[in-house]
Amino acid sequence: MIKAEIRQLLVDHYLDFYTLAYSMLANSDDARDTVQEALTRTLAKGRIDDPMNYCYQTVRNVAIDTMRYRSRIVPLDENMDVGQEEQDDTDSYARLLNLAAHLRDKLPSALRALVTLHYEKGIGYGELANLTGMSRMTIRRRLKEAQAKMHYELKKEMEETI
């Protein structure tokens, strides 16, 4: 198929892609954005054996990424009165986040990049493997190594403060 035929095929099935995205996200704006992103990625891919299947998978993956992003955001009620105990928890959490960022920054640059891409940007093992040229198992092992180093440093830091 040539690119124009693929484009027309995908546009003709826009409603099907939208239905899938909406069934996963339950938000029409997010579903439209998801389908747009999936169509863009599919058309940018170049030669694809089955463009419909590829686009359906891309819609699904983008929707999952959107749901992951949503789960990281915690809505706060503007009228909520933050008590002293909650404020202490917030301060402790902020200190912990700062400490984790500091520990991440102490990692070697290659390991730090993997940690940032996987845990902060939500990129999976497979995509990291494609980006870096390493195997999925190597990515998994290096991320476990980073976790172990950060855990050790965190434990040491906590013992020093107690």
Side-chain angles (χ1 to χ4, degrees), residues 77-83 86:
D77 184 10
E78 292 180 19
N79 298 327
M80 185 172 72
D81 182 28
V82 178
E86 290 173 349

Side-chain angles (χ1 to χ4, degrees), residues 44-110:
K45 184 70 174 169
R47 176 157 165 61
I48 304 171
D49 293 332
D50 187 0
M52 289 294 294
N53 186 36
Y54 184 86
C55 195
Y56 272 115
Q57 287 294 343
T58 306
V59 167
R60 183 184 154 278
N61 291 341
V62 172
I64 288 170
D65 289 344
T66 302
M67 290 186 293
R68 282 183 187 148
Y69 178 75
R70 276 189 199 162
S71 70
R72 292 180 184 166
I73 298 173
V74 179
L76 296 176
D77 184 10
E78 292 180 19
N79 298 327
M80 185 172 72
D81 182 28
V82 178
Q84 182 60 35
E85 184 176 307
E86 290 173 349
Q87 186 63 40
D88 290 344
D89 288 345
T90 303
D91 292 343
S92 297
Y93 183 70
R95 276 185 265 143
L96 188 59
L97 282 178
N98 288 335
L99 180 59
H102 175 70
L103 294 175
R104 181 203 59 217
D105 292 341
K106 288 173 59 177
L107 293 171
S109 63

